[in-house]
Amino acid sequence: MTHIVKFFETTLRDGEQTPGINYFAEEKLEIARALADMGFDTLDCGFAISGEPEFEAIRLIARSVANAEICSIARCYPADIDRAWEAVKDAAHSSIHPFISTSPLHREVKLGKTRDDVLEMARTAVARGRQYTPNVDFALEDTTRTEHDFILEVVGAVRAEGVRFVALCDTVGFALPWEFGQLVADVKREFPDVRISAHCHDDLGLAVANALSGLSNGAERVDTCFNGLGERAGNAATEDVVMAIRTRRADLDLDVNVDTTKIIPTSRLIARLSGMQPQWTKSVVGANAFAHGGGIHQDGVLKDRRTYEIMRPEDIGLPPSETRMHVGKLSGRAALNAQLKELGYDLAPDQLARAFQLVKLVLGKKKVLEEMDLRRCADTAINPTATVADALVVEAQANGAAE
Ligand code: MN
């Protein structure tokens, strides 16, 4: 039976820890509504005890968004747990999410705590949270650099206190996909009833691969951020995990319960409010994700999109015509013809050949063609009285534009 993957969407928490991002409360609410409307299960909305504005923003979302579970994270201190609960308790669906670093490096350098200290703090944090709600999840920060036996010890301790999900965290993006999958499998073998969430960072570009490996080995939930935001190099990107699972669902035996047609509008909303645009070649949501530059590729796509596109633009919320032919140095005649048709031209083969020559001439002088350049080339090519002199005028104009 196909398993439906759950999401712990953390654009509003780990995503806001992206250096350079600062959402105002109303902006967090706008993003929360968009994420809830897409169908994500739990929205990690922030760290309630980190300050008054953060607390107020989480409470605003909790009181306004009923169609997703609203979560606050907390350190393993009583005051943190209480504050997290205070922020989310008015929500239709709520959860709290204590965390503590478990790795020797973090224990010694960051916390100044022993294994026993950490174990006790984890246990009491979950127990305290459980006094408020059954929806208490727990994260082992830096799990992937933690001793194997201690991971099992901590998971066993929070399990005994009635934890719901345990997040195994590749906090520093250090794991390799097969290692992360093995970690999940090991914990599942020891505690088959523990539900696992995969929290993976992208320091080595492996966050999505690690998360998928975790899901294939028994994790039921994944922590993700839109546009690959998050601390340092970001978290596993929401859009990537969603579309990887949707596109390869038959082979993964997994699927998502998410409205994928809202990916682009939501990505753009978050890009606008975060002030961070995805890079052009970003998977799924990048400006070039459905653009084709090479002549051979363009010819293929114009014959049948499936030759070079594994997703349909309309499935992620782009117009079907979003497939774009970039007319550049390496592009071919078929793409130029398609582009000129969109501009209302219908060139005979000899005219197209001439326009193609002119375009290449201009691209020797100018980095990027604008619509005006394409029109000028087409007009010159169509004009039966056009001469070599006209071509030189085109070139001179392009030259002028470049200077
Ligand atoms: Mn993180």
Side-chain angles (χ1 to χ4, degrees), residues 204-219:
L204 296 175
L206 294 171
V208 173
N210 285 337
L212 288 177
S213 179
L215 292 169
S216 293
N217 281 281

Side-chain angles (χ1 to χ4, degrees), residues 251-264:
D251 303 287
L252 289 167
D253 210 15
L254 300 170
D255 205 352
V256 293
N257 203 355
V258 167
D259 182 357
T260 63
T261 67
K262 290 181 175 152
I263 286 177
I264 290 294

Side-chain angles (χ1 to χ4, degrees), residues 93-171:
H93 312 280
S94 55
S95 63
I96 54 178
H97 196 100
F99 65 92
I100 194 164
S101 281
T102 52
S103 67
L105 182 64
H106 281 218
R107 288 193 318 256
E108 287 153 26
V109 174
K110 200 179 83 169
L111 300 173
K113 306 272 186 206
T114 64
R115 273 171 66 141
D116 284 348
D117 296 335
V118 167
L119 191 65
E120 189 54 25
M121 288 176 76
R123 190 199 309 279
T124 54
V126 172
R128 191 176 186 92
R130 289 277 300 175
Q131 292 175 354
Y132 294 123
T133 170
N135 301 333
V136 181
D137 302 335
F138 183 83
L140 292 79
E141 196 187 337
D142 205 16
T143 321
T144 50
R145 293 190 297 174
T146 300
E147 306 94 324
H148 195 264
D149 65 319
F150 191 50
I151 295 172
L152 295 178
E153 212 176 332
V154 174
V155 173
V158 294
R159 172 178 170 273
E161 297 299 336
V163 77
R164 188 181 59 165
F165 277 92
V166 171
L168 300 179
C169 303
D170 191 27
T171 303

Side-chain angles (χ1 to χ4, degrees), residues 13-14 199 201 235:
R13 199 277 300 166
D14 217 321
H199 184 99
H201 277 266
N235 288 69

